[in-house]
Structures are given as structure tokens and as C-alpha cells.
Amino acid sequence: MIDLKVDFSNILGFVDKNKVDALQAELNLSHQKVLNKTGEGNDFLGWVDLPESLEESLLQSIEKDAARISKIADIFVVIGIGGSYLGARAVNEALSHQFSHFLRSEKRQHPHIVFAGNNLSEDYLADLIDVLDQKDYAMAVISKSGTTTEPAIAFRILREHIEKKYGKEEARNRIIAITDKEKGVLKKLSLDEGYSSYVVPDDIGGRYSVLTPVGLLPIAVAGFDIRKMILGAKAMRKVCIANAAISSNPAASYAAARTALYRNGKTTEIMVGYQPSLVFFVEWWKQLYGESEGKQNRGIFPAGVTFTADLHSMGQYIQQGLRILFETVISVEKPRRYLSVPMDKENLDGLNFTAGKRISEVNRQAELGTLLAHVDGGVPNIIVNVPVIDENIIGQLVYFFEFACALSGYMLEVNPFDQPGVEAYKKNMFALLGKPGYEKQAAELKARL
Ligand code: PA5
């Protein structure tokens, strides 16, 4: 059973219902392309059946490694960028105690997850090393290609650090590599060094890899139940693959709503969360949709905000700026914790009208008030309703957004599984850094700087 519901009734003042319904034929075609593997990028559709095809031996091995790491490490450093990073961070931050790093270590049974290799900031890495000097740690290096500069540099530095700290032999126990099954320097290194290693399947691109070891290992190390997450994804898959009906397939419904809006001039989609714990889920979604759709001078620009914080910043633009926006709200019915507003005899702040109400009830009314204000201001809203944030729902959300992304990409007539545009900055960076073979480009670039 799935618990996620898409409600696009709040876009209907902006696009006619029949315009949305008219997309059914295109959706059916896109759906067939995904299931029959007949569309562009069809060699990257391994994620479609992944929830059903994950082998028990793989899950056991991940759980075993996670338990082993929990015993020897206070910190687990996950080195990776883009799709080799954002899924794990999205899920861990959505599910974690938000201040776990301040809790005393005996209150934490699992390592604290930190990320590296997702930037080229010297300060970030040096600050991280200050902490790793003092704490026991282990790490995973994740790169499908094994050649991405940011994680490769971070790994070079942290590998040297971990080997100095524990000695080469013990360092081997503390490093896990997740990469291609045979290609790339990382594969060679992990074989040479005898690191525990996992494979990123050939037919799954980074941003669709949350349910591979890329996401599952760090999520398991953080102490979350990867099996519940997979169950959620399985349930969502069943509904998504059954048919492309806008009325029954939530991914089709979301893809239809956002495509109808895009074709009506709403070219920026803002993903809205009302929970700070969802900030990185929104970042993951931005990458998934930005890299999948933004090509051939087309595509919805994916942006993200966290309310109510951003109602005091971006809220102004959303209410009254350029009318090219629509919002997709992840609406969470129930919080995990309990806290209500206390009664105050003095009532100096005048807030006794909220006394006894749960914070989540105040948040809910902020959400409803914002929905009405933004729709009145010219910003259509799609609502993705979920009952709570837990492993099962996260599994549903991940699969739902992946499936909808593939459908939307095919409706946009782009290949949703490649990212050719990412190469441009890399080539320039290599040339400017003096990589052998880039001499001509380096001279041209330097003349322009
Ligand atoms: O989604 C993608 O394919 C990309 O974002 C990649 O994950 C990212 O570029 C990192 O690549 P790699 O895993 O090869 O280091």
C-alpha cells in the first residue's frame, strides 16, 4: 500500500483540467518508453526494477558492514558528489535526530555521518580533519566513474590521514569503496588494497542510485532500516508501473501537472518543505530534476525553499515577483515528536490563542495560509501529501520522484538519464589546472581571463 497522494487541485485556476487530462496520451507513450526500454537513455533504466531485484546477500553484506563500522567509528565520512552523495544525505537528514552531533556519544548507537568530496573548499576539508584527528572514524568513497575530481582529491587527502592515524592495515578495515564493477582507478585501488567494496550497477546513473549501495550503505551505517525503505519503494513501484493513468498513478499525476504548468509559462518549480530535516531531500530532488531535464535549452528550473524560514526571505518574491513560478509542497501530516505551546499567565507576547496547540498544528495553519496566499498571488501549488517521514515513506518518495522524472523527461523530449552539460566546467578546470592534453584549451581560456 502507498500512503503518498498527489493533489493538483490548486493548479486548476491556472491550467484547465482538460489541458492536464489531454496529456494522458503523451504520458502513456512515456510510460511505455520507461517500461519497454525504448526511449533515449534506455541503458540507464536499471532503477525501475531495482526495489524488486536487490539481492538478499547484498542487503546482508551492507548490514554486516554497517554493524562493523558502528563498532569502530564515531564518524563515518561519505566521500562523493552529485548522485554519489545527495541521496544518502537526503535520507539521513530526513530521518536523523537533527542535533545528534551534540548528543553524548552513549546516546548514539551509530556513527555520525559527515560528507566530503562534494566541494573543493580547502577550509571545509581542513575543518573536517580537525575533527577526524580527535575522533574514531571510517569512510566510504563513492564514485561510479572513479574519476570525479572532487571526491578523488578528498579521498587522496583522507586516505593519507586515515593511514597515518591507524596504520595501513587497520585503515583498510575502515575504508569502503563503492564504484563501477570493473572500470576506473577506484576499482583498481580497492582491489589492490583489499577494501570492502560494492558495485554501482552499469544501468543506474548517479541520481537514480539511492537504492543501490551508494545510498543504502551510508543509510544503514546511520542506523536506519534499509529494508523498510525498500518496502516503501516496492509499493510505489507497483503503482507506478501498473499504468500511466493520471487518476491512479501519482507519478503520472505529478508529471502531468508540472508539464501542463510548464507549457503554460510556469518555468520554475519551487520544491517546498515545512521541515528543516527535508532541506537535503529538496537538494536531492533539485539534482534529479535539474540534471535530468535541463538540456537542449529546455526544462523546468528546479528551486527549493524551506518554510516558514524562507517565508521571511524568498516568500516576498514568491508572492509578488515574476509570475513564472509554481510550487510543489511536500506536506507532512504528522511530526515524529511531541511539543505544544505552553499557556503563559502574563500573556505578554499575546500568544495565548496558540496555547495547548502542538507546534505541528501551528505549522499546518502556516502551510494552509501560505497555500492560499500564494495561489491568490498567482503561484499554482501541487501538493505531495505524506502521513509522516519514516523509512517506508522515504522509499516511496524516492521511487515516486524518480519515476515521475523519467515520465516528465520523456514528455519534454529529452534524455532524462544523461548530463552532457556537466563536462563543460570540468574541461575548463582541467585546462586551467594544467592537466596534460589540455594545453591548447588552456591557452585560449587564459587569453579570455
Ligand atoms: O547523477 C549523476 O550521474 C551525477 O551527478 C554523478 O553522480 C556525479 O557527477 C558523480 O559521478 P561519479 O559517481 O562518477 O563520481
Side-chain angles (χ1 to χ4, degrees):
M1 226 210 30
I2 59 162
D3 313 274
L4 177 156
K5 288 191 184 65
V6 174
D7 170 5
F8 62 80
S9 57
N10 288 294
I11 73 165
L12 296 180
F14 302 88
V15 262
D16 289 346
K17 175 84 168 57
N18 58 18
K19 283 242 165 94
V20 180
D21 290 341
L23 294 171
Q24 188 60 66
E26 276 182 62
L27 272 169
N28 293 345
L29 278 177
S30 298
H31 195 255
Q32 278 161 23
K33 282 183 184 169
V34 174
L35 294 192
N36 301 337
K37 303 195 173 176
T38 48
E40 267 194 283
N42 54 8
D43 42 351
F44 281 98
L45 283 164
W47 57 272
V48 176
D49 294 330
L50 184 65
E52 291 294 344
S53 62
L54 282 162
E55 287 181 12
E56 177 58 28
S57 57
L58 173 69
L59 300 183
Q60 280 181 17
S61 166
I62 288 174
E63 287 165 342
K64 214 169 134 199
D65 262 332
R68 181 175 65 79
I69 298 293
S70 288
K71 287 203 188 94
I72 58 172
D74 295 321
I75 292 183
F76 189 56
V77 186
V78 178
I79 302 174
I81 196 166
S84 289
Y85 147 68
L86 280 162
R89 187 157 192 182
V91 176
N92 279 332
E93 300 213 356
L95 296 174
S96 289
H97 187 292
Q98 291 168 73
F99 298 95
S100 65
H101 45 296
F102 292 122
L103 289 175
R104 284 209 305 276
S105 53
E106 58 270 27
K107 287 214 161 195
R108 272 192 284 113
Q109 289 165 349
H110 303 280
H112 187 71
I113 313 291
V114 301
F115 296 89
N118 55 58
N119 59 61
L120 286 168
S121 164
E122 192 163 335
D123 294 345
Y124 183 96
L125 263 181
D127 287 355
L128 176 60
I129 286 169
D130 287 346
V131 176
L132 300 181
D133 281 340
Q134 296 175 12
K135 299 275 185 185
D136 273 319
Y137 74 102
M139 63 192 183
V141 52
I142 309 178
S143 177
K144 184 174 179 180
S145 62
T147 56
T148 309
T149 311
E150 291 88 339
I153 286 181
F155 184 53
R156 185 185 268 223
I157 289 171
L158 295 183
R159 189 176 145 222
E160 185 184 77
H161 184 273
I162 205 167
E163 286 178 354
K164 267 198 196 133
K165 179 165 173 146
Y166 295 101
K168 227 170 159 19
E169 195 52 43
E170 175 56 14
R172 287 194 186 105
N173 273 329
R174 290 174 179 265
I175 298 175
I176 298 176
I178 305 179
T179 188
D180 185 84
K181 70 174 184 310
E182 51 197 18
K183 292 191 298 271
V185 278
L186 189 53
K187 182 70 205 174
K188 188 177 174 317
L189 188 69
S190 65
L191 282 175
D192 290 353
E193 295 289 333
Y195 300 147
S196 172
S197 70
Y198 292 92
V199 169
V200 189
D202 280 346
D203 57 356
I204 300 181
R207 58 191 178 273
Y208 293 82
S209 70
V210 189
L211 298 169
T212 73
V214 171
L216 295 179
L217 179 82
I219 294 165
V221 172
F224 300 112
D225 189 337
I226 54 173
R227 289 173 192 267
K228 282 193 188 148
M229 199 174 131
I230 294 162
L231 277 181
K234 276 186 184 176
M236 182 55 74
R237 173 183 173 274
K238 206 168 162 198
V239 176
C240 286
I241 65 167
N243 58 58
I246 294 173
S247 55
S248 61
N249 178 338
S253 167
Y254 172 54
R258 64 195 296 282
T259 301
L261 289 168
Y262 174 64
R263 291 183 187 172
N264 217 19
K266 302 291 186 189
T267 53
T268 297
E269 177 174 9
I270 307 174
M271 182 64 63
V272 181
Y274 279 81
Q275 312 289 334
S277 61
L278 292 179
V279 165
F280 272 90
F281 195 84
V282 172
E283 288 301 307
W284 169 79
W285 168 86
K286 275 163 63 181
Q287 190 226 353
L288 179 62
Y289 281 73
E291 270 195 344
S292 299
E293 293 192 323
K295 48 199 74 157
Q296 293 166 234
N297 302 327
R298 295 183 208 148
I300 297 172
F301 182 79
V305 291
T306 299
F307 290 164
T308 60
D310 288 331
L311 285 171
H312 298 260
S313 60
M314 298 305 287
Q316 172 58 38
Y317 190 102
I318 296 169
Q319 193 69 47
Q320 296 183 326
L322 272 183
R323 301 298 71 190
I324 54 168
L325 312 173
F326 67 98
E327 290 172 305
T328 296
V329 180
I330 304 180
S331 181
V332 184
E333 199 185 317
K334 285 189 234 97
R336 287 195 291 258
R337 309 293 299 269
Y338 183 94
L339 205 58
S340 60
V341 182
M343 176 63 87
D344 179 7
K345 265 203 232 131
E346 308 286 320
N347 195 26
L348 286 178
D349 54 13
L351 276 178
N352 272 353
F353 69 96
T354 63
K357 289 193 199 305
R358 293 182 65 171
I359 308 297
S360 53
E361 170 62 8
V362 181
N363 205 17
R364 163 74 53 205
Q365 298 316 321
E367 182 180 328
L368 294 175
T370 305
L371 165 72
L372 298 174
H374 287 184
V375 169
D376 288 348
V379 179
N381 268 236
I382 301 171
I383 319 287
V384 178
N385 289 294
V386 292
V388 68
I389 296 293
D390 62 15
E391 286 99 327
N392 187 293
I393 296 291
I394 288 286
Q396 294 186 35
L397 277 166
V398 163
Y399 195 90
F400 158 77
F401 278 122
E402 288 179 352
F403 205 93
C405 187
L407 293 178
S408 292
Y410 281 147
M411 287 165 86
L412 191 64
E413 294 184 358
V414 297
N415 175 353
F417 307 112
D418 66 358
Q419 55 285 330
V422 177
E423 294 311 308
Y425 100 91
K426 287 189 195 167
K427 285 186 192 142
N428 287 351
M429 176 178 72
F430 291 150
L432 293 170
L433 281 168
K435 186 171 177 173
Y438 287 78
E439 293 75 8
K440 188 163 170 270
Q441 197 169 345
E444 282 165 14
L445 290 175
K446 281 182 183 153
R448 285 172 54 198
L449 288 173

